[in-house]
Amino acid sequence: MTDAEGTSLFHQTMPFASRLGIEALSHAPDLVRSRLAWSESLCTLGGVLHGGVLMSLADATGAVCAFLNLPSGASGTTTLESKTNFLRSVRSGYATASSRPLHAGRRVVVVETEIHDDEGKLVAKVTQTQAVL
């Protein structure tokens, strides 16, 4: 089941997330979950979901997580650094991202995101640092 309020947050703050078709599954400061449906238009050779699409899913999910963990008075967040380890490909179904804060400070928020396939297998692990604006 999708989270309509969370999906709206993704799409209003990041129009690119809307273009990719990212849907929120849940959003809270301790965990943000979203998913992206496999589509031939988002693939590279061999029907594999493009790595840049997976990175965009992780970046958008991590950004919402960072936003929900901003200190009082902050106006927003932007990615400073992102590190991705790809472990397997997605050839059908959904890629589902789960982001959790590792550190929520005054100047930076560090988020860890895991992407899983429909079988629950780990597809990618992403660590990103978001600047507090």
Side-chain angles (χ1 to χ4, degrees):
M1 181 185 311
T2 60
D3 171 353
E5 181 182 341
T7 299
S8 180
L9 175 62
F10 271 79
H11 294 180
Q12 288 178 5
T13 59
M14 298 172 283
F16 185 59
S18 177
R19 174 166 270 186
L20 288 175
I22 295 173
E23 303 172 304
L25 299 174
S26 62
H27 71 291
D30 62 329
L31 175 64
V32 176
R33 295 184 67 242
S34 68
R35 69 181 183 179
L36 173 86
W38 180 94
S39 169
E40 186 176 358
S41 67
L42 300 176
C43 288
T44 188
L45 294 173
V48 172
L49 203 56
H50 193 283
V53 170
L54 293 171
M55 291 171 74
S56 294
L57 173 64
D59 187 60
T61 308
V64 170
C65 185
F67 179 78
L68 294 175
N69 283 280
L70 287 174
S72 178
S75 62
T77 180
T78 190
T79 305
L80 287 175
E81 187 269 340
S82 185
K83 165 56 168 111
T84 304
N85 287 103
F86 294 106
L87 305 168
R88 70 180 59 250
S89 61
V90 177
R91 296 177 184 271
S92 64
Y94 286 91
T96 301
S98 300
S99 294
R100 292 176 173 82
L102 296 178
H103 170 76
R106 292 182 314 209
R107 295 201 169 117
V108 297
V109 178
V110 180
V111 176
E112 184 173 73
T113 302
E114 290 187 349
I115 300 175
H116 290 86
D117 64 15
D118 283 344
E119 296 176 6
K121 293 182 179 177
L122 186 61
V123 170
K125 191 153 192 152
V126 180
T127 304
Q128 65 181 215
T129 304
Q130 295 272 340
V132 173
L133 303 175

